[in-house]
Amino acid sequence: ASMTGDEARGVDRLLWKLGFNPPQFEDFLPRLQSRLRNFSETLIQTTPIASEDDREKIRASGVNLFVSVEDFLDRFLTYNLWILASDHFVDSRFVFSMRDARQMISSLLGAALQSGGHQVSWSSQGENALGTLVRYVGESGTWMRGLETTGREALLRAEADLPHFETDPLRRFPFYHLQLWADSDFDELRRYVDRYCSIVKLIEQADLATIRNGLDHSRDAARFPHGDNMLACVSRLREAIEVADINRYIPKVFWLESKDENRFGNIEYTFQDYLQRPLVLYGPRLVSGLLSFKYQSPYLIAAGNLIGGPNAQLSFTIREEDQYEQYWRNYPKRRHIPPLPLTDTMEDDGVEGDN
C-alpha cells in the first residue's frame, strides 16, 4: 500500500534524524495544482451560476487559488530575470536567492510602471498585488525581446577579473560578461525567450486580475464574473503552469537519483522532480565554472541550454531564506550586533538598553 503525504514526511523526518538526507520538495506546485483543480471543479458544478450559494462556493475556492497564483507569478518572474541578468560566476556563485532576485526587478524593469491609466510599483519585499505582478510579467517579456538588439560590449568583464583557467584549451570558459544573457548562445537565448513569452501570453490572456477582482469586490450578481470567462481563465492558467513546470521556467527542486559512468568517461546523471519525473543530464562538463553534481544537495536546473555546446547545462543550488542565513551571510566579517529591543516589562521596571 502507498503511504499518505503525512506518512511519507514522517519517514523522511526519521531518516534525517538517523543521518540520511532524503529528497525533500516544497509543496508549492502540488498546492497550486490542487487549488486550480478544486476551483475548476467548483466552476463546473455551479455553472450556470444561479444563486448566491453558487457564488459563495466559487469565491471560497477562488480566494485560495489566487493566493497561490500570486506566488507562482512572483517565482516565475524573478527566477527567469535573475538567471539572465546575473553575473553567476562572480556575484551569485550559482546560488539562487528569492530575496536577491526580487531586488533586481526594479533596476531591470523600473521601480514603477503604467498599468491601465494608473501606476503600479514593485516591492522588493515580495508584497506585490496580483495586478502588479501581471504587469511586471508582461514587461519582463518586452525586456527579454529587446535583448536581441542590445549591445553586449558594455557588459564585458574586466580582463583583470578573468580566472587563471580562462585559457584552458580543454574546457571552455564561457563567462566573459557581467550578465548571463550576454554569454548565451544566440539561438539558445532566442528559444528560451520565445517559450518564456509564450507563457507570458497565456498569463495575460487568462485575465487574472479581472476575474480575481470580480470575485473579491463584486457583490452585485450582474457584475460577478461569467462562468465561461472563469473557465477560460482556468484553462489558460493551467496551460501556463504546465509549460512552466515541465520546461523548468520556475525554481523547482531536482535531486540527483543516479550517476552512471562508462569506461570512456561518459557520465549520465538522472535527476527527479517532485513528481518523480526523470531529467537526464550528461557529463563530463566541457566548460569551466559550472557546478558539479552531488547526491546530498538539491538543484535548480535552468530551462534550455543557454551556454550552448554539449554538457553545459546551467544549474544552481538554493540559499535558505531565514534570519540565521541573513545574519551569517558573507561570514567572516566584522559586524555590529544591535542591542536587544526593550520589552514593555523592561521599560516599566526602568531598565535601559545599551546605546
Side-chain angles (χ1 to χ4, degrees), residues 66 69-78 105 109 113-116 118 120-122 128-142 196 199-213 233 237:
F66 282 104
V69 168
E70 288 179 353
D71 193 11
F72 167 74
L73 295 178
D74 184 31
R75 295 175 188 232
F76 171 68
L77 166 68
T78 56
I105 302 302
L109 305 182
L113 299 174
Q114 290 297 318
S115 176
H118 66 279
V120 295
S121 299
W122 178 258
N128 294 292
L130 181 64
T132 300
L133 289 165
V134 172
R135 178 66 183 89
Y136 271 85
V137 165
E139 187 68 18
S140 68
T142 302
Y196 180 87
I199 301 171
V200 170
K201 184 177 181 180
L202 287 168
I203 291 169
E204 292 178 330
Q205 290 176 339
D207 203 11
L208 296 167
T210 299
I211 299 298
R212 203 282 305 274
N213 290 338
C233 171
L237 179 59

Side-chain angles (χ1 to χ4, degrees), residues 13-38:
R13 189 176 295 111
L14 179 60
L15 289 172
W16 179 77
K17 289 185 177 181
L18 292 174
F20 296 93
N21 187 22
Q24 301 177 57
F25 301 94
E26 278 190 295
D27 66 352
F28 155 65
L29 278 170
R31 187 181 298 274
L32 170 60
Q33 293 159 349
S34 174
R35 288 175 172 178
L36 182 61
R37 185 167 53 249
N38 179 64

